[in-house]
Amino acid sequence: MYRSLLSSRLRHSPRSTRHLRPLYTQIRTMTTEEVKLLKDPVTGELISKTELKRREKARAKEAAKANKPAPAVAVGKAEKSNAINEDDLNPNQYYEMRSRQIKKLKETQNPNPYPHKFHVTRSITDYIDTYGPEGKVPAGTKLENVTESLAGRIHNIRASGAKMKFYDLHAEGKKVQIMATQQDSSDPDAFIATHDIFRRGDIVGVVGTPSRTKKGELSISPSEIVLLSPNLHQLPSTHFGLKDQETRYRKRYLDLIISENTRNIFIKRSQIIHYVRNFLTQQGFMEVETPITSLLAGGATAKPFVTHHNDLNLDLFLRVAPELYLKELIVGGLDRVFEIGRVFRNEGIDMTHNPEFTICEFYMAYADMYDVMDLTEAMVEGLVKVLTGGSTKMLFHPDGNKGEPGARVYEMDFQRPWKRYDMIETLEEKLGVKFPPGDTLHTDEANKFLRDLCAKHNVDCSEPKTNARLLDKLVGDFIEPLCISPSFIVGHPQVMSPLAKWHRSRPGLCERFEAFLCTKEICNAYTELNDPFEQRLRFEEQVRQKEQGDEEAQGIDETFIDALEHGLPPTGGWGMGIDRLVMFLTDSTNIKEVLLFPAMKPEAPVPPVTDAPPVA
């Protein structure tokens, strides 16, 4: 039984066995009889009877030790000894000790460890801006008759005897020092007992006077310091940080507490989205919202997620793109619309893909791909100048080893105009062959030509080997690696672009471009197809590809065709993956670094989902 359980787990997770370690431990300790798990009354974990007995014995010994009278030593030495003991505890021991302390405070309410409110007069950022300038608070002095209230999280604690303590108070990515002395306290007799409560990671409120140490560090000298929310867990060292990548992604709150770099990435992400939204608004676009669930998954070539609507008893798809809805709004007379939101694609997870991601799409009536290309260059170049303070150049380390000897580095130059690669012409140049005419690239003869070409150059393409997929693989191997600075790939065959308008002067091709940066696609745009007769033929071709086994192909959307039959003006459409753009502009090689809560494999096995019984 155990062997089959283990082999099943290995089959489903071929890339990593780290999550199997708990399973190995479980198998080693199991007997032929089923192990009965009991609940730990302190931690709430389900553990074996043997482990529970061991913990209870250790706690009894610890409690007896705590009740033993302490030897008469100097207060400073006692504090130092206690600190060393706490540092020596493992995470479970520390959690149990801290939990007991806080539960005791909850019982005595002296003080209440979870108060409802604390009045803050200034943010830490405002406090530094107000009292930080040179001369505002001279070194070694306090501003008498000035009282401020600050709040934040304690990161470091230092003592200078029993009657003086220093804390680093962090909030909003800033830090200010708390310089607590017994003589400044509003209750000097309770000073030692009050400060004995605080630990690294606690959230506290401070009421005190702006001051500066003799060495010139801006501080606040508190008359009162209040516990607002205790941290029950050991906080990782600020010096070494949180090194385990899995923990950083699963516990993003802990990563944000510890890592200033992580915080800065998400601040920059917010700035990027804010810039894009403002840029489009200033160009006369209106921001809209379209449905997340629909009866058809259209607007992009991607495999959708399926969900179920109980009341309607219908299977629905999570959207793979908002495109078709946005173009229906253009038909309705909203000439410039955009949406920034989540889309969902049931595909693989890797360094540049997450199943749900943020996209920005806009549609612009009376424009074509060339207008949209100019708009793309202006938007991204302007964004980079804002982020860099005026420069159009940025660096990206594709291997994620910034600062190491021999690290590869890409220099990206966003200065307009960007380089343009014609798809078929560039492939002909790189492969030394002549491609079939553009208006025959959808045929069986073209499929054989493309299969032979991929085989000759060792280009791997999984089934189904449709013309569109074979072309896409060739582009990925021979053109995308050329695109380090932002570049456009143009001249796509119609077979690759079911929603793009045919090229006005090159039969068989369409008016579409893709923008690439550091060899990865960041945006995709068309002169939109507005001929309902042609659109139906394109959809039917997509259906044929789906029947061949292409799960990403689209179906026929009759509502969208009906909208086209009412008249879609000549339109330029554009979509950009925000997450991938943020990756390159923050020098992040893994998409998980720019998603607050990325998709992760579960740490423990998840029971299969069973269909709920129908509701009467």
PDB file of all heavy atoms in Angstrom, residues 97-120:
ATOM      1  N   MET A  97       6.200  28.640  23.487  1.00  0.00           N
ATOM      2  CA  MET A  97       6.534  29.567  24.565  1.00  0.00           C
ATOM      3  C   MET A  97       5.807  30.900  24.392  1.00  0.00           C
ATOM      4  O   MET A  97       5.176  31.410  25.323  1.00  0.00           O
ATOM      5  CB  MET A  97       8.036  29.800  24.600  1.00  0.00           C
ATOM      6  CG  MET A  97       8.492  30.805  25.660  1.00  0.00           C
ATOM      7  SD  MET A  97       9.996  31.673  25.193  1.00  0.00           S
ATOM      8  CE  MET A  97       9.427  32.714  23.868  1.00  0.00           C
ATOM      9  N   ARG A  98       5.858  31.423  23.165  1.00  0.00           N
ATOM     10  CA  ARG A  98       5.244  32.733  22.893  1.00  0.00           C
ATOM     11  C   ARG A  98       3.722  32.643  23.003  1.00  0.00           C
ATOM     12  O   ARG A  98       3.066  33.576  23.497  1.00  0.00           O
ATOM     13  CB  ARG A  98       5.661  33.181  21.499  1.00  0.00           C
ATOM     14  CG  ARG A  98       5.207  34.585  21.122  1.00  0.00           C
ATOM     15  CD  ARG A  98       5.912  35.643  21.911  1.00  0.00           C
ATOM     16  NE  ARG A  98       5.738  36.953  21.312  1.00  0.00           N
ATOM     17  CZ  ARG A  98       5.557  38.072  21.979  1.00  0.00           C
ATOM     18  NH1 ARG A  98       5.532  38.044  23.301  1.00  0.00           N
ATOM     19  NH2 ARG A  98       5.423  39.222  21.363  1.00  0.00           N
ATOM     20  N   SER A  99       3.149  31.538  22.540  1.00  0.00           N
ATOM     21  CA  SER A  99       1.700  31.356  22.637  1.00  0.00           C
ATOM     22  C   SER A  99       1.243  31.364  24.088  1.00  0.00           C
ATOM     23  O   SER A  99       0.205  31.962  24.425  1.00  0.00           O
ATOM     24  CB  SER A  99       1.279  30.050  21.963  1.00  0.00           C
ATOM     25  OG  SER A  99       1.537  30.088  20.581  1.00  0.00           O
ATOM     26  N   ARG A 100       2.011  30.705  24.960  1.00  0.00           N
ATOM     27  CA  ARG A 100       1.659  30.703  26.389  1.00  0.00           C
ATOM     28  C   ARG A 100       1.702  32.114  26.963  1.00  0.00           C
ATOM     29  O   ARG A 100       0.830  32.519  27.737  1.00  0.00           O
ATOM     30  CB  ARG A 100       2.602  29.783  27.164  1.00  0.00           C
ATOM     31  CG  ARG A 100       2.321  28.302  26.976  1.00  0.00           C
ATOM     32  CD  ARG A 100       3.004  27.478  28.060  1.00  0.00           C
ATOM     33  NE  ARG A 100       4.443  27.658  28.041  1.00  0.00           N
ATOM     34  CZ  ARG A 100       5.286  26.903  27.333  1.00  0.00           C
ATOM     35  NH1 ARG A 100       4.807  25.925  26.564  1.00  0.00           N
ATOM     36  NH2 ARG A 100       6.577  27.116  27.364  1.00  0.00           N
ATOM     37  N   GLN A 101       2.715  32.880  26.559  1.00  0.00           N
ATOM     38  CA  GLN A 101       2.837  34.255  27.062  1.00  0.00           C
ATOM     39  C   GLN A 101       1.617  35.087  26.663  1.00  0.00           C
ATOM     40  O   GLN A 101       1.048  35.814  27.487  1.00  0.00           O
ATOM     41  CB  GLN A 101       4.106  34.909  26.506  1.00  0.00           C
ATOM     42  CG  GLN A 101       5.408  34.344  27.067  1.00  0.00           C
ATOM     43  CD  GLN A 101       6.613  34.967  26.374  1.00  0.00           C
ATOM     44  OE1 GLN A 101       6.498  35.577  25.313  1.00  0.00           O
ATOM     45  NE2 GLN A 101       7.780  34.802  26.983  1.00  0.00           N
ATOM     46  N   ILE A 102       1.231  34.982  25.397  1.00  0.00           N
ATOM     47  CA  ILE A 102       0.134  35.817  24.900  1.00  0.00           C
ATOM     48  C   ILE A 102      -1.207  35.339  25.467  1.00  0.00           C
ATOM     49  O   ILE A 102      -2.081  36.157  25.790  1.00  0.00           O
ATOM     50  CB  ILE A 102       0.124  35.829  23.361  1.00  0.00           C
ATOM     51  CG1 ILE A 102       1.460  36.388  22.836  1.00  0.00           C
ATOM     52  CG2 ILE A 102      -1.032  36.657  22.838  1.00  0.00           C
ATOM     53  CD1 ILE A 102       1.868  37.737  23.414  1.00  0.00           C
ATOM     54  N   LYS A 103      -1.381  34.029  25.623  1.00  0.00           N
ATOM     55  CA  LYS A 103      -2.618  33.531  26.235  1.00  0.00           C
ATOM     56  C   LYS A 103      -2.740  34.027  27.672  1.00  0.00           C
ATOM     57  O   LYS A 103      -3.847  34.336  28.142  1.00  0.00           O
ATOM     58  CB  LYS A 103      -2.638  32.007  26.193  1.00  0.00           C
ATOM     59  CG  LYS A 103      -2.936  31.445  24.814  1.00  0.00           C
ATOM     60  CD  LYS A 103      -2.927  29.918  24.817  1.00  0.00           C
ATOM     61  CE  LYS A 103      -3.239  29.372  23.430  1.00  0.00           C
ATOM     62  NZ  LYS A 103      -3.198  27.889  23.401  1.00  0.00           N
ATOM     63  N   LYS A 104      -1.610  34.125  28.368  1.00  0.00           N
ATOM     64  CA  LYS A 104      -1.615  34.656  29.740  1.00  0.00           C
ATOM     65  C   LYS A 104      -2.051  36.122  29.732  1.00  0.00           C
ATOM     66  O   LYS A 104      -2.847  36.556  30.580  1.00  0.00           O
ATOM     67  CB  LYS A 104      -0.206  34.526  30.346  1.00  0.00           C
ATOM     68  CG  LYS A 104      -0.128  34.881  31.816  1.00  0.00           C
ATOM     69  CD  LYS A 104      -0.837  33.864  32.678  1.00  0.00           C
ATOM     70  CE  LYS A 104      -0.639  34.153  34.156  1.00  0.00           C
ATOM     71  NZ  LYS A 104      -1.418  33.213  35.009  1.00  0.00           N
ATOM     72  N   LEU A 105      -1.535  36.884  28.755  1.00  0.00           N
ATOM     73  CA  LEU A 105      -1.944  38.285  28.650  1.00  0.00           C
ATOM     74  C   LEU A 105      -3.435  38.397  28.310  1.00  0.00           C
ATOM     75  O   LEU A 105      -4.122  39.294  28.792  1.00  0.00           O
ATOM     76  CB  LEU A 105      -1.121  39.007  27.581  1.00  0.00           C
ATOM     77  CG  LEU A 105       0.371  39.220  27.872  1.00  0.00           C
ATOM     78  CD1 LEU A 105       1.049  39.946  26.719  1.00  0.00           C
ATOM     79  CD2 LEU A 105       0.567  40.014  29.168  1.00  0.00           C
ATOM     80  N   LYS A 106      -3.937  37.490  27.478  1.00  0.00           N
ATOM     81  CA  LYS A 106      -5.361  37.499  27.152  1.00  0.00           C
ATOM     82  C   LYS A 106      -6.214  37.260  28.404  1.00  0.00           C
ATOM     83  O   LYS A 106      -7.290  37.833  28.553  1.00  0.00           O
ATOM     84  CB  LYS A 106      -5.670  36.428  26.101  1.00  0.00           C
ATOM     85  CG  LYS A 106      -5.299  36.836  24.672  1.00  0.00           C
ATOM     86  CD  LYS A 106      -5.297  35.647  23.721  1.00  0.00           C
ATOM     87  CE  LYS A 106      -6.643  34.986  23.632  1.00  0.00           C
ATOM     88  NZ  LYS A 106      -7.652  35.818  22.950  1.00  0.00           N
ATOM     89  N   GLU A 107      -5.702  36.417  29.302  1.00  0.00           N
ATOM     90  CA  GLU A 107      -6.436  36.134  30.534  1.00  0.00           C
ATOM     91  C   GLU A 107      -6.393  37.316  31.500  1.00  0.00           C
ATOM     92  O   GLU A 107      -7.406  37.715  32.080  1.00  0.00           O
ATOM     93  CB  GLU A 107      -5.839  34.900  31.218  1.00  0.00           C
ATOM     94  CG  GLU A 107      -6.066  33.599  30.472  1.00  0.00           C
ATOM     95  CD  GLU A 107      -5.284  32.448  31.084  1.00  0.00           C
ATOM     96  OE1 GLU A 107      -4.673  32.656  32.168  1.00  0.00           O
ATOM     97  OE2 GLU A 107      -5.260  31.354  30.490  1.00  0.00           O
ATOM     98  N   THR A 108      -5.191  37.908  31.657  1.00  0.00           N
ATOM     99  CA  THR A 108      -5.026  38.980  32.648  1.00  0.00           C
ATOM    100  C   THR A 108      -5.430  40.345  32.098  1.00  0.00           C
ATOM    101  O   THR A 108      -5.745  41.254  32.863  1.00  0.00           O
ATOM    102  CB  THR A 108      -3.565  39.052  33.098  1.00  0.00           C
ATOM    103  OG1 THR A 108      -2.730  39.392  31.969  1.00  0.00           O
ATOM    104  CG2 THR A 108      -3.105  37.716  33.684  1.00  0.00           C
ATOM    105  N   GLN A 109      -5.369  40.488  30.742  1.00  0.00           N
ATOM    106  CA  GLN A 109      -5.630  41.786  30.094  1.00  0.00           C
ATOM    107  C   GLN A 109      -4.703  42.868  30.636  1.00  0.00           C
ATOM    108  O   GLN A 109      -5.070  44.043  30.725  1.00  0.00           O
ATOM    109  CB  GLN A 109      -7.102  42.205  30.274  1.00  0.00           C
ATOM    110  CG  GLN A 109      -8.081  41.333  29.512  1.00  0.00           C
ATOM    111  CD  GLN A 109      -7.991  41.542  28.004  1.00  0.00           C
ATOM    112  OE1 GLN A 109      -8.314  42.606  27.486  1.00  0.00           O
ATOM    113  NE2 GLN A 109      -7.542  40.504  27.302  1.00  0.00           N
ATOM    114  N   ASN A 110      -3.482  42.462  30.976  1.00  0.00           N
ATOM    115  CA  ASN A 110      -2.513  43.408  31.539  1.00  0.00           C
ATOM    116  C   ASN A 110      -1.161  43.266  30.823  1.00  0.00           C
ATOM    117  O   ASN A 110      -0.251  42.628  31.326  1.00  0.00           O
ATOM    118  CB  ASN A 110      -2.345  43.151  33.043  1.00  0.00           C
ATOM    119  CG  ASN A 110      -1.439  44.192  33.710  1.00  0.00           C
ATOM    120  OD1 ASN A 110      -1.331  45.314  33.222  1.00  0.00           O
ATOM    121  ND2 ASN A 110      -0.777  43.794  34.776  1.00  0.00           N
ATOM    122  N   PRO A 111      -1.028  43.831  29.620  1.00  0.00           N
ATOM    123  CA  PRO A 111      -2.046  44.581  28.863  1.00  0.00           C
ATOM    124  C   PRO A 111      -2.830  43.647  27.937  1.00  0.00           C
ATOM    125  O   PRO A 111      -2.491  42.481  27.782  1.00  0.00           O
ATOM    126  CB  PRO A 111      -1.193  45.540  28.052  1.00  0.00           C
ATOM    127  CG  PRO A 111       0.038  44.731  27.731  1.00  0.00           C
ATOM    128  CD  PRO A 111       0.290  43.879  28.962  1.00  0.00           C
ATOM    129  N   ASN A 112      -3.875  44.208  27.290  1.00  0.00           N
ATOM    130  CA  ASN A 112      -4.605  43.488  26.263  1.00  0.00           C
ATOM    131  C   ASN A 112      -3.701  43.366  25.039  1.00  0.00           C
ATOM    132  O   ASN A 112      -3.299  44.371  24.452  1.00  0.00           O
ATOM    133  CB  ASN A 112      -5.881  44.258  25.906  1.00  0.00           C
ATOM    134  CG  ASN A 112      -6.637  43.632  24.744  1.00  0.00           C
ATOM    135  OD1 ASN A 112      -6.320  42.534  24.310  1.00  0.00           O
ATOM    136  ND2 ASN A 112      -7.634  44.345  24.244  1.00  0.00           N
ATOM    137  N   PRO A 113      -3.345  42.136  24.625  1.00  0.00           N
ATOM    138  CA  PRO A 113      -2.405  41.997  23.501  1.00  0.00           C
ATOM    139  C   PRO A 113      -3.027  42.312  22.132  1.00  0.00           C
ATOM    140  O   PRO A 113      -2.300  42.406  21.145  1.00  0.00           O
ATOM    141  CB  PRO A 113      -1.986  40.530  23.585  1.00  0.00           C
ATOM    142  CG  PRO A 113      -3.138  39.843  24.237  1.00  0.00           C
ATOM    143  CD  PRO A 113      -3.730  40.838  25.197  1.00  0.00           C
ATOM    144  N   TYR A 114      -4.336  42.453  22.080  1.00  0.00           N
ATOM    145  CA  TYR A 114      -5.013  42.734  20.810  1.00  0.00           C
ATOM    146  C   TYR A 114      -5.997  43.898  20.970  1.00  0.00           C
ATOM    147  O   TYR A 114      -7.216  43.713  20.869  1.00  0.00           O
ATOM    148  CB  TYR A 114      -5.755  41.489  20.310  1.00  0.00           C
ATOM    149  CG  TYR A 114      -4.841  40.319  20.025  1.00  0.00           C
ATOM    150  CD1 TYR A 114      -4.720  39.272  20.948  1.00  0.00           C
ATOM    151  CD2 TYR A 114      -4.094  40.252  18.857  1.00  0.00           C
ATOM    152  CE1 TYR A 114      -3.882  38.185  20.694  1.00  0.00           C
ATOM    153  CE2 TYR A 114      -3.249  39.183  18.588  1.00  0.00           C
ATOM    154  CZ  TYR A 114      -3.153  38.153  19.522  1.00  0.00           C
ATOM    155  OH  TYR A 114      -2.315  37.092  19.260  1.00  0.00           O
ATOM    156  N   PRO A 115      -5.509  45.104  21.224  1.00  0.00           N
ATOM    157  CA  PRO A 115      -6.423  46.242  21.390  1.00  0.00           C
ATOM    158  C   PRO A 115      -7.138  46.581  20.084  1.00  0.00           C
ATOM    159  O   PRO A 115      -6.674  46.244  18.993  1.00  0.00           O
ATOM    160  CB  PRO A 115      -5.493  47.381  21.812  1.00  0.00           C
ATOM    161  CG  PRO A 115      -4.148  46.997  21.289  1.00  0.00           C
ATOM    162  CD  PRO A 115      -4.096  45.512  21.357  1.00  0.00           C
ATOM    163  N   HIS A 116      -8.271  47.268  20.209  1.00  0.00           N
ATOM    164  CA  HIS A 116      -9.096  47.590  19.043  1.00  0.00           C
ATOM    165  C   HIS A 116      -8.538  48.752  18.217  1.00  0.00           C
ATOM    166  O   HIS A 116      -8.744  48.809  17.001  1.00  0.00           O
ATOM    167  CB  HIS A 116     -10.523  47.943  19.483  1.00  0.00           C
ATOM    168  CG  HIS A 116     -11.323  46.765  19.925  1.00  0.00           C
ATOM    169  ND1 HIS A 116     -11.067  46.080  21.086  1.00  0.00           N
ATOM    170  CD2 HIS A 116     -12.389  46.144  19.345  1.00  0.00           C
ATOM    171  CE1 HIS A 116     -11.934  45.091  21.217  1.00  0.00           C
ATOM    172  NE2 HIS A 116     -12.749  45.106  20.177  1.00  0.00           N
ATOM    173  N   LYS A 117      -7.864  49.686  18.865  1.00  0.00           N
ATOM    174  CA  LYS A 117      -7.520  50.926  18.164  1.00  0.00           C
ATOM    175  C   LYS A 117      -6.265  51.542  18.784  1.00  0.00           C
ATOM    176  O   LYS A 117      -6.039  51.441  19.987  1.00  0.00           O
ATOM    177  CB  LYS A 117      -8.705  51.911  18.275  1.00  0.00           C
ATOM    178  CG  LYS A 117      -8.438  53.357  17.904  1.00  0.00           C
ATOM    179  CD  LYS A 117      -8.300  53.547  16.396  1.00  0.00           C
ATOM    180  CE  LYS A 117      -8.130  55.023  16.034  1.00  0.00           C
ATOM    181  NZ  LYS A 117      -7.866  55.222  14.611  1.00  0.00           N
ATOM    182  N   PHE A 118      -5.464  52.177  17.935  1.00  0.00           N
ATOM    183  CA  PHE A 118      -4.349  53.006  18.405  1.00  0.00           C
ATOM    184  C   PHE A 118      -4.286  54.222  17.497  1.00  0.00           C
ATOM    185  O   PHE A 118      -4.209  54.094  16.273  1.00  0.00           O
ATOM    186  CB  PHE A 118      -3.026  52.237  18.373  1.00  0.00           C
ATOM    187  CG  PHE A 118      -1.849  53.058  18.827  1.00  0.00           C
ATOM    188  CD1 PHE A 118      -1.588  53.216  20.182  1.00  0.00           C
ATOM    189  CD2 PHE A 118      -1.029  53.690  17.909  1.00  0.00           C
ATOM    190  CE1 PHE A 118      -0.510  53.987  20.608  1.00  0.00           C
ATOM    191  CE2 PHE A 118       0.047  54.464  18.326  1.00  0.00           C
ATOM    192  CZ  PHE A 118       0.301  54.610  19.686  1.00  0.00           C
ATOM    193  N   HIS A 119      -4.341  55.383  18.078  1.00  0.00           N
ATOM    194  CA  HIS A 119      -4.354  56.619  17.294  1.00  0.00           C
ATOM    195  C   HIS A 119      -2.937  56.963  16.834  1.00  0.00           C
ATOM    196  O   HIS A 119      -2.015  57.094  17.640  1.00  0.00           O
ATOM    197  CB  HIS A 119      -4.910  57.779  18.119  1.00  0.00           C
ATOM    198  CG  HIS A 119      -4.918  59.083  17.384  1.00  0.00           C
ATOM    199  ND1 HIS A 119      -5.714  59.310  16.281  1.00  0.00           N
ATOM    200  CD2 HIS A 119      -4.198  60.225  17.577  1.00  0.00           C
ATOM    201  CE1 HIS A 119      -5.498  60.534  15.827  1.00  0.00           C
ATOM    202  NE2 HIS A 119      -4.583  61.114  16.595  1.00  0.00           N
ATOM    203  N   VAL A 120      -2.759  57.103  15.513  1.00  0.00           N
ATOM    204  CA  VAL A 120      -1.465  57.445  14.914  1.00  0.00           C
ATOM    205  C   VAL A 120      -1.529  58.879  14.407  1.00  0.00           C
ATOM    206  O   VAL A 120      -2.445  59.234  13.658  1.00  0.00           O
ATOM    207  CB  VAL A 120      -1.130  56.485  13.756  1.00  0.00           C
ATOM    208  CG1 VAL A 120       0.152  56.920  13.058  1.00  0.00           C
ATOM    209  CG2 VAL A 120      -1.003  55.058  14.262  1.00  0.00           C
TER     210      VAL A 120
END
